[in-house]
Amino acid sequence: MNDVKAGPEEEWVKSGEVRISDLAAELGLTKGTVSRALNGYEDISKKTRKRVMEAATKRGYVPTTQARRLAMGLTETIGLVLPPMPSQPVNTFISEFIHSVSAALHLHGYDLLVHSANSEESEVEPYRRLVQSRKVDGFIIFRTNEKDPRVNYLLNEGFPFVTHGRTARMAEHDWFDIDGEKAFRDATSHLIKLGHQRIGFVGGGKEFFSAQLRLKGFRTMLEESCLEKVPSLEQPGDLTGQGGEIAAQNLLKQTRPPTAILCANDATALGVMKAARELGFNIPEELSVIGYDGIALGAYIDPPLTTLTFSIEESGKEMVNLLMRRLKSPDLPVISKLASAILKLRGSEGPPSSIQNKNMENCL
Amino acid sequence: MNDVKAGPEEEWVKSGEVRISDLAAELGLTKGTVSRALNGYEDISKKTRKRVMEAATKRGYVPTTQARRLAMGLTETIGLVLPPMPSQPVNTFISEFIHSVSAALHLHGYDLLVHSANSEESEVEPYRRLVQSRKVDGFIIFRTNEKDPRVNYLLNEGFPFVTHGRTARMAEHDWFDIDGEKAFRDATSHLIKLGHQRIGFVGGGKEFFSAQLRLKGFRTMLEESCLEKVPSLEQPGDLTGQGGEIAAQNLLKQTRPPTAILCANDATALGVMKAARELGFNIPEELSVIGYDGIALGAYIDPPLTTLTFSIEESGKEMVNLLMRRLKSPDLPVISKLASAILKLRGSEGPPSSIQNKNMENCL
DNA sequence: TTGTAGGCGTTATCAG
DNA sequence: CTGATAACGCCTACAA
């Protein structure tokens, strides 16, 4: 169990009880020399370096992060602020995202500080505190709004960050996003090819920029396909299951309900499916539903949820890369990365039950 | 937008550019005095304190966390290590848990450091690194195994931590847990009262201690009710949806399949329901399913998942309280907290389709 | 190639 | 009550 075999004269110390000064004393060197040897400076004799290295491993020396960071003037820590709790109950996306970001940061020797916002205070307050107390070197922000106070604050402070999602000021900061417009064009097109002519859309709140782009993709494809645009088929949502339920009721209680519904995210789609079942609609026979995010549990419901998705692991990596670059060279020009989502067919969509053979010629 | 109204002669500085030495110089005091005034020491004249306070707010002084922590010899940070990624895809529990822990820590002025484990290295490796580099003052460990190497390591190091779940060495460390044994007795009893006589159980792997206790509760209630114990109705699982699928297949393909299945967690239950549907079982008419955890999305599937649950927010608070107590007084005796889960009926269980009126008299 | 000395920004312990 | 002075543990010029 315990792999420590203490020699006869050797006294064992608990982890982290060895200081750099101890090593120095033991080796008859100074702290400075030991430090440089350990940190791979060139101006150290091979012999000395070897001695130092060996002593370090032997005594189990590991530098104290706090002290090193203070001396170097950085925290090697990135902040991630979670949105207030109750708003996102049905969301595996967040934990998957945290995981991927944390793993990616770790490769760069950075830590992830997770902070939870409470709904009573302003959205920027947590960021302000973290910046002022200098607990982090940068932020990862997700689910951006078009006019995002967090972005405004950080840009104003000149504090490094990357967003997952675009904003009105996207020309001024690094960002990563998934091309939701294209994704929704694809999904809409898919539904149209299946024969759907009345397609509903449940959005994500007009502050949430990416949701706007998804709506845009939806509308664009409708136009290209000469389907009439019915305003009542576009419902607002809030990216939660509950929001989906309400929107679905508004859609399905209409005299001519849609035969398919596109949702701004998977949580919304789950709510839509729930409401649909309660109103007696069979999925996918009487109603097709498509979500967005690709959360894993979508595969475990009945029927499995067809969704638009992009690897969360990839997203995390990309964002971390952008952020690391920014930290290393603050003055580099802003860059961004736009990834394409994939339509993952799982079974919650299909041809409409009664295909009305309306004229479907290409309008051009 | 910008609430900073700089006076004519007043030069504005970015957040965190004011040092304690600046304040001291400005006020004609020493750093020490300023520090004590700010930290509420008693031996400071009211007048001086007031001057210091005002100057501090006026200049927007906020102490630099790194430096303060180095001086005080603590990190005010708690570590939480996430299990390797692919193992828990269907799990909102984790993000809800992170949220609650982080919020609770924040009330005590502590930060949460989230670290993700990768499956290639030993389970204790992340803990070892965090301890050695002194990045955290303590840990929150969840999903403990009966013989838990992480617990062994930390106990051996004498490093503070609290677990969510019991272990073989639970007498030696603080822990919080939900009384899974009682919970499963309750759930089993509920099913029996509904008329079920063949009840299946999908466990959580025999390393996972709490899952063992759940199994125990299940068995106890079976005995008390004189239902015969059928070994083939107890299947192992791994707390994932996939594990649930496999277990369900083993259960439902038997010549006399169970009419109800109890699952060690909700993720498992989702897998069970998926497999059941694929094998043509209607839920709850032909098969009742009960999960454990109370993840929010359980309410959004069809039928909504009946589950055993305890407020994740409460859990987080309790654990943080235990940990804070330990950090303040390392030598206090070990304490623990056992909470009762509630059976949340949502619709995935009901009476069996054909109630065989076997003799159901009380065996005593 | 190594030692010396100072600094990172606090808090803490003494005198005075 | 307040001012020196010394930690905290490490990094890094600069000097030798």
Side-chain angles (χ1 to χ4, degrees):
Chain A
M1 194 86 236
N2 196 333
D3 53 1
V4 177
K5 300 195 180 87
E9 285 304 320
E10 229 168 283
E11 144 193 45
W12 179 246
V13 286
K14 290 203 315 191
S15 285
E17 304 267 290
V18 188
R19 311 274 100 101
I20 203 172
S21 53
D22 299 331
L23 282 188
E26 180 180 334
L27 294 168
L29 295 171
T30 55
K31 295 193 294 177
T33 308
V34 175
S35 170
R36 283 180 316 231
L38 255 22
N39 294 332
Y41 277 56
E42 289 303 330
D43 57 351
I44 293 284
S45 77
K46 277 202 165 175
K47 192 177 141 201
T48 304
R49 161 160 301 129
K50 200 180 164 196
R51 281 180 64 214
V52 172
M53 291 302 210
E54 282 174 356
T57 36
K58 181 172 164 192
R59 304 293 298 270
Y61 169 76
V62 179
T64 301
T65 316
Q66 299 260 2
R68 199 170 45 79
R69 288 174 174 174
L70 175 60
M72 303 197 311
L74 38 77
T75 68
E76 295 177 323
T77 300
I78 298 302
L80 178 67
V81 179
L82 301 177
M85 185 93 222
S87 85
Q88 313 293 345
V90 186
N91 217 330
T92 54
F93 175 82
I94 293 179
S95 67
E96 295 180 45
F97 188 67
I98 291 177
H99 215 128
S100 75
V101 166
S102 140
L105 283 175
H106 187 229
L107 295 178
H108 296 263
Y110 271 69
D111 293 325
L112 178 64
L113 178 60
V114 172
H115 196 276
S116 58
N118 67 62
S119 41
E120 281 104 59
E121 62 186 6
S122 144
E123 204 180 358
V124 305
E125 214 41 61
Y127 292 86
R128 195 190 305 274
R129 276 200 304 270
L130 257 19
V131 167
Q132 290 184 337
S133 54
R134 271 139 295 176
K135 284 182 174 175
V136 301
D137 293 335
F139 287 99
I140 289 205
I141 298 183
F142 68 102
R143 213 169 264 169
T144 45
N145 297 329
E146 178 162 8
K147 300 200 171 176
D148 200 303
R150 304 167 297 177
V151 168
N152 288 337
Y153 168 69
L154 293 173
L155 278 177
N156 190 44
E157 287 284 327
F159 205 87
F161 68 99
V162 192
T163 61
H164 185 300
R166 283 160 277 182
T167 72
R169 300 178 71 177
M170 59 189 164
E172 301 170 64
H173 62 82
D174 302 317
W175 54 266
F176 168 87
D177 204 0
I178 293 160
D179 193 343
E181 189 179 339
K182 175 175 176 302
F184 272 68
R185 281 205 311 272
D186 293 349
T188 309
S189 156
H190 174 68
L191 289 171
I192 293 173
K193 280 187 194 137
L194 285 174
H196 292 276
Q197 302 198 0
R198 291 183 67 80
I199 305 176
F201 177 91
V202 181
K206 52 174 176 292
E207 312 78 28
F208 182 41
F209 200 29
S210 302
Q212 294 303 92
L213 295 169
R214 295 173 201 168
L215 174 58
K216 192 175 165 198
F218 168 69
R219 286 181 176 166
T220 307
M221 188 46 75
L222 283 193
E223 280 171 23
E224 285 182 17
S225 313
C226 2
L227 286 184
E228 67 172 324
K229 190 186 142 207
V230 186
S232 68
L233 291 183
E234 287 176 11
Q235 293 285 328
D238 60 1
L239 303 177
T240 71
Q242 231 176 354
E245 287 186 72
I246 296 168
Q249 283 161 1
N250 291 338
L251 286 170
L252 299 175
K253 285 182 178 168
Q254 297 181 15
T255 45
R256 294 181 58 205
T259 59
I261 300 181
L262 277 169
C263 307
N265 75 344
D266 284 348
T268 299
L270 290 175
V272 166
M273 289 174 79
K274 178 165 186 266
R277 281 192 304 270
E278 289 167 0
L279 292 172
F281 285 78
N282 281 327
I283 301 171
E285 295 79 10
E286 295 168 298
L287 182 70
S288 290
V289 177
I290 297 184
Y292 182 99
D293 266 352
I295 59 179
L297 78 95
Y300 286 88
I301 59 174
D302 179 35
L305 179 62
T306 288
T307 185
L308 293 153
T309 178
F310 181 79
S311 155
I312 294 180
E313 204 179 336
E314 283 295 317
S315 311
K317 269 187 205 157
E318 293 289 0
M319 296 186 65
V320 167
N321 286 341
L322 290 179
L323 189 49
M324 289 299 125
R325 165 183 175 276
R326 174 67 45 209
L327 291 177
K328 266 174 206 146
S329 341
D331 299 322
L332 252 39
V334 160
I335 59 176
S336 57
K337 190 130 188 175
L338 194 59
S340 284
I342 288 173
L343 182 58
K344 204 182 245 175
L345 303 177
R346 288 200 285 216
S348 63
E349 34 66 64
S353 48
S354 57
I355 298 188
Q356 307 135 312
N357 263 327
K358 233 183 181 175
N359 191 347
M360 283 294 286
E361 287 160 24
N362 191 318
C363 24
L364 305 181
Chain B
M1 192 90 235
N2 196 334
D3 53 2
V4 177
K5 300 198 180 82
E9 286 304 318
E10 230 168 284
E11 144 192 46
W12 178 246
V13 287
K14 288 202 317 190
S15 286
E17 305 266 290
V18 188
R19 312 274 101 99
I20 202 173
S21 53
D22 299 330
L23 282 189
E26 180 179 333
L27 295 168
L29 294 171
T30 54
K31 294 192 295 177
T33 308
V34 175
S35 171
R36 284 182 316 238
L38 255 23
N39 294 330
Y41 278 56
E42 289 303 330
D43 57 351
I44 292 285
S45 77
K46 278 203 164 176
K47 191 177 141 202
T48 304
R49 161 159 301 129
K50 201 180 163 196
R51 280 182 62 215
V52 172
M53 292 301 211
E54 281 174 357
T57 35
K58 180 173 163 191
R59 304 293 298 267
Y61 169 76
V62 177
T64 301
T65 315
Q66 300 259 7
R68 198 168 49 80
R69 287 174 174 173
L70 176 61
M72 303 197 311
L74 38 76
T75 67
E76 294 177 325
T77 300
I78 297 301
L80 178 68
V81 179
L82 301 178
M85 186 94 222
S87 85
Q88 314 293 345
V90 185
N91 217 330
T92 54
F93 175 83
I94 294 180
S95 67
E96 295 180 46
F97 188 66
I98 291 176
H99 214 128
S100 76
V101 166
S102 140
L105 284 175
H106 187 229
L107 296 178
H108 296 263
Y110 271 69
D111 292 324
L112 179 64
L113 178 59
V114 171
H115 196 276
S116 58
N118 67 62
S119 41
E120 281 105 59
E121 62 186 6
S122 145
E123 205 180 357
V124 305
E125 213 40 61
Y127 292 86
R128 194 189 305 275
R129 275 199 304 271
L130 257 21
V131 167
Q132 290 184 338
S133 54
R134 272 138 296 178
K135 285 184 175 176
V136 301
D137 292 336
F139 287 100
I140 289 203
I141 298 185
F142 68 102
R143 214 169 264 171
T144 46
N145 297 329
E146 178 162 9
K147 300 199 171 177
D148 201 303
R150 305 168 296 178
V151 168
N152 288 337
Y153 168 69
L154 293 173
L155 278 177
N156 190 45
E157 288 283 328
F159 204 88
F161 69 99
V162 192
T163 62
H164 186 299
R166 282 159 277 182
T167 71
R169 301 179 71 177
M170 59 189 164
E172 301 170 64
H173 62 83
D174 302 318
W175 54 266
F176 168 87
D177 203 1
I178 293 160
D179 193 343
E181 189 178 339
K182 176 174 175 303
F184 272 69
R185 281 205 311 273
D186 292 349
T188 309
S189 157
H190 174 69
L191 289 172
I192 292 173
K193 280 187 195 136
L194 284 174
H196 292 275
Q197 302 196 0
R198 293 183 65 79
I199 306 176
F201 178 90
V202 182
K206 52 176 178 292
E207 312 78 28
F208 182 42
F209 199 31
S210 303
Q212 294 303 92
L213 295 169
R214 293 173 202 170
L215 174 57
K216 192 175 165 196
F218 168 69
R219 286 181 176 167
T220 306
M221 187 47 73
L222 283 193
E223 281 171 22
E224 284 182 18
S225 313
C226 3
L227 285 184
E228 67 172 323
K229 191 187 142 207
V230 186
S232 68
L233 290 183
E234 287 177 9
Q235 293 285 329
D238 59 1
L239 303 177
T240 70
Q242 231 176 353
E245 287 186 72
I246 296 168
Q249 283 162 0
N250 291 336
L251 287 170
L252 299 175
K253 285 182 179 169
Q254 298 181 16
T255 46
R256 294 181 58 207
T259 59
I261 300 181
L262 278 169
C263 306
N265 75 345
D266 283 348
T268 299
L270 291 176
V272 166
M273 289 174 80
K274 177 165 186 267
R277 280 192 304 268
E278 288 167 1
L279 291 171
F281 285 78
N282 279 327
I283 301 172
E285 295 79 11
E286 296 167 296
L287 181 70
S288 290
V289 177
I290 297 185
Y292 181 99
D293 265 353
I295 59 180
L297 77 95
Y300 285 88
I301 59 174
D302 179 34
L305 179 63
T306 288
T307 185
L308 292 154
T309 177
F310 181 79
S311 156
I312 294 179
E313 203 178 337
E314 283 295 317
S315 311
K317 269 187 203 156
E318 294 288 0
M319 297 186 64
V320 166
N321 286 340
L322 290 179
L323 189 50
M324 290 298 124
R325 165 183 174 276
R326 174 68 44 209
L327 292 177
K328 267 174 204 145
S329 343
D331 299 322
L332 252 39
V334 160
I335 58 175
S336 58
K337 190 130 189 175
L338 194 60
S340 285
I342 289 172
L343 181 60
K344 203 181 246 174
L345 303 177
R346 289 201 285 215
S348 64
E349 34 66 65
S353 47
S354 57
I355 298 189
Q356 308 135 310
N357 264 327
K358 234 184 182 177
N359 190 346
M360 283 295 285
E361 287 160 23
N362 192 317
C363 27
L364 307 179

